[in-house]
Amino acid sequence: MPFIPGTRKLSENTLNQYSEIRKPKKGYLPIRIRKVSFSNELLTIGIVLDKEPEEMVYIKATTSELLVSCSVDTHEGYLSRYAYFALYRLLYYHSEYDFEEYYWPGFFDQNSGVSKYLMILKSKDSLHIASKVRYKGFYKPGNQLPEVSENVITLRKTRPIIQEKPPKDSRTILGFCMADANNERHRTNHYPFLIPYTGILNKDKTKVKGFKNYVLNELNLSEINLTEEQQCLVGICFAMKKIALVASSEPKEDVLVLAKKREKNKQNFNSLFELWQKALPLLSGRLYTHYCYTFGMRHVKGKPSRSYMTPCSFSNETPEVCFLWKDIGDYYKLELRLMLDGKIRQVQYYYNTALFAMLCYKPRNYALLNSVMDDELVCFFQKRHFQLLVLKKHYDGYFKDFADQLRAIYKFTNK
């Protein structure tokens, strides 16, 4: 049975196309399944229909389709009721089921049926399959890799920064906060943007002890005399907020409407990156800067919550993406690193803020990446602990093309 294109998901519509069997509209048919084992890429499911004896259903996920067999009468032209109801029960109340967890082509020893790369955790009636921590980030044939531009992007030059000094006659200050909400579940999700706030300093004027308001318009600045640099930075902040909101998709939305939203989001994201580049020289030398995870644009109003405002800083240096390439027996390892001050630095993977990276040796110091393409690569590798592994048997073809494209653009170090 074919998956939804580009995924390892089986839809209910596809399942029903391969069988005329359906759950009775009247009456109750108890269906109990248990995931028995996962060996040699084969998932074995035990199924009990009502009071009948348990039968076994065998499932294998390939690159583009699901192979199904059964201990009873399933063959290439017929799907048994046991196989149908086992898949039906996996779907449960959803319209599709993702078999990505059970797609591990070539990762098993064919003689023993065991994989040294995987953890297979078994509970009473279920299984959980994942790569071991040291093997996190394995490439599987058919998986999408980031697109790499053919054009070399010149490293952004460092510009002089404006070094802020504590106010002499007042403890009321204008600070700047990176507002972040990179979780797509929020209906008012937004890209990271900069927003001004007013606050009160402590006695020695070293840190902000209290926050008054987010600055949403010029009226919120009546009590503060702005310098020319602050006025310029505030203007950039207002421009950012106008385009930071992400247009989210709606259930069963028209394909053309969804495509327009995605294109608009992409344009806004690129424009935000340009605004961040303009803001950086005016922002890097500021004394009072914070980070806030907003949980959506709807919360960016009124008084900032002190518990969510984390002091941070913004680097004026431009990190350069580079890669380490290692040959480790039966697989290759590709690691993403950042080069700063002539040294190769490791990136933190606990936090992921679009367009920025944080280095392990400087917590909460945000470094603006050199390009949108750099951001796409960092986001992709961040989900894999900044390493991408590939079995040598899977290297030639799509993955090799990807690695060669990276080598043409970025610095590679062979280990």
Side-chain angles (χ1 to χ4, degrees):
M1 288 180 285
F3 290 130
I4 297 172
T7 73
R8 238 74 67 186
K9 295 179 180 179
L10 177 70
S11 69
E12 185 177 2
N13 288 336
T14 299
L15 173 61
N16 288 335
Q17 288 173 13
Y18 282 79
S19 177
E20 296 181 357
I21 300 169
R22 298 291 185 273
K23 190 174 182 181
K25 292 184 179 180
K26 293 184 179 181
Y28 176 63
L29 176 63
I31 304 172
R32 298 189 301 277
I33 66 171
R34 64 187 184 96
K35 296 174 182 176
V36 178
S37 64
F38 183 62
S39 176
N40 267 345
E41 305 176 37
L42 199 66
L43 172 64
T44 302
I45 295 178
I47 178 169
V48 176
L49 299 177
D50 200 2
K51 297 180 181 180
E52 299 177 31
E54 183 181 53
E55 299 293 347
M56 295 296 164
V57 176
Y58 309 100
I59 296 173
K60 181 177 179 178
T62 68
T63 304
S64 58
E65 60 187 6
L66 190 70
L67 306 180
V68 184
S69 184
C70 178
S71 57
V72 190
D73 53 355
T74 291
H75 53 76
E76 62 181 21
Y78 176 73
L79 194 67
S80 76
R81 55 196 290 266
Y82 298 102
Y84 175 84
F85 283 120
L87 294 171
Y88 176 86
R89 188 63 180 80
L90 287 174
L91 288 164
Y92 203 45
Y93 293 118
H94 303 284
S95 60
E96 57 189 38
Y97 184 84
D98 194 350
F99 285 90
E100 183 67 41
E101 184 179 1
Y102 307 103
Y103 174 64
W104 293 97
F107 286 84
F108 285 83
D109 182 288
Q110 295 300 310
N111 295 322
S112 66
V114 176
S115 174
K116 67 179 181 180
Y117 306 106
L118 302 180
M119 294 186 298
I120 302 176
L121 306 177
K122 184 171 174 42
S123 59
K124 181 179 179 182
D125 294 323
S126 189
L127 293 171
H128 175 66
I129 295 95
S131 59
K132 295 178 181 178
V133 175
R134 64 177 295 191
Y135 298 124
K136 187 174 180 63
F138 251 117
Y139 166 78
K140 295 185 278 187
N143 282 9
Q144 191 67 32
L145 295 171
E147 293 185 7
V148 181
S149 171
E150 296 180 357
N151 301 321
V152 178
I153 301 174
T154 306
L155 198 65
R156 185 175 60 248
K157 294 182 179 179
T158 302
R159 294 164 59 186
I161 64 175
I162 306 298
Q163 190 63 54
E164 186 177 23
K165 295 181 180 179
K168 293 182 179 180
D169 304 322
S170 173
R171 284 200 289 157
T172 300
I173 55 93
L174 178 70
F176 294 88
C177 172
M178 179 198 282
D180 187 21
N182 55 13
N183 192 322
E184 295 180 358
R185 290 178 296 177
H186 304 317
R187 299 303 298 171
T188 56
N189 181 39
H190 60 80
Y191 298 125
F193 67 97
L194 196 63
I195 183 167
Y197 65 82
T198 53
I200 303 296
L201 297 178
N202 60 358
K203 288 185 178 181
D204 57 7
K205 299 181 180 181
T206 57
K207 63 181 181 179
V208 181
K209 74 171 186 178
F211 301 91
K212 300 179 72 175
N213 287 291
Y214 282 121
V215 177
L216 303 177
N217 52 58
E218 299 288 349
L219 297 177
N220 300 132
L221 292 168
S222 58
E223 60 180 302
I224 298 178
N225 294 321
L226 301 183
T227 65
E228 182 179 346
E229 291 80 14
Q230 285 177 323
Q231 288 178 343
C232 183
L233 191 52
V234 167
I236 294 174
C237 291
F238 290 165
M240 283 186 177
K241 188 174 185 296
K242 288 180 180 179
I243 59 175
L245 188 64
V246 177
S248 57
S249 60
E250 301 294 336
K252 298 181 180 180
E253 192 165 41
D254 182 79
V255 175
L256 293 178
V257 174
L258 183 59
K260 288 182 180 179
K261 284 185 177 180
R262 288 175 176 169
E263 181 60 29
K264 185 64 176 176
N265 287 339
K266 183 178 179 181
Q267 292 175 2
N268 287 344
F269 187 78
N270 292 342
S271 298
L272 268 172
F273 179 62
E274 293 177 2
L275 289 171
W276 273 110
Q277 291 181 88
K278 292 180 180 179
L280 201 60
L282 303 170
L283 180 66
S284 296
R286 297 285 155 195
L287 296 176
Y288 316 111
T289 51
H290 287 76
Y291 169 93
C292 178
Y293 191 86
T294 67
F295 295 94
M297 186 72 83
R298 65 188 183 278
H299 298 300
V300 185
K301 59 184 179 180
K303 182 179 179 180
S305 173
R306 184 175 179 178
S307 60
Y308 288 118
M309 299 289 278
T310 304
C312 71
S313 59
F314 295 90
S315 174
N316 191 42
E317 304 296 324
T318 303
E320 183 179 1
V321 171
C322 59
F323 293 93
L324 304 180
W325 180 261
K326 301 178 181 180
D327 185 336
I328 306 180
D330 50 359
Y331 68 92
Y332 297 115
K333 178 188 284 190
L334 179 65
E335 296 179 319
L336 184 145
R337 296 289 184 266
L338 294 179
M339 184 171 288
L340 204 61
D341 300 327
K343 296 182 179 180
I344 295 177
R345 310 286 189 177
Q346 197 161 1
V347 195
Q348 287 194 28
Y349 54 78
Y350 299 105
Y351 304 97
N352 180 25
T353 298
L355 298 174
F356 287 86
M358 283 193 297
L359 303 176
C360 287
Y361 77 107
K362 280 190 175 181
R364 288 299 181 188
N365 179 261
Y366 289 91
L368 183 64
L369 294 167
N370 190 53
S371 67
V372 172
M373 186 173 74
D374 285 5
D375 171 73
E376 292 174 355
L377 288 170
V378 169
C379 288
F380 177 82
F381 276 84
Q382 185 267 342
K383 297 174 183 176
R384 295 156 179 82
H385 289 195
F386 293 102
Q387 64 179 23
L388 187 58
L389 316 180
V390 58
L391 293 176
K392 290 183 177 179
K393 65 179 78 172
H394 297 154
Y395 176 70
D396 288 332
Y398 185 48
F399 192 96
K400 183 178 184 301
D401 292 342
F402 171 69
D404 289 343
Q405 289 170 346
L406 290 180
R407 287 181 183 274
I409 301 294
Y410 298 99
K411 292 181 180 178
F412 260 67
T413 300
N414 293 320
K415 290 287 187 177

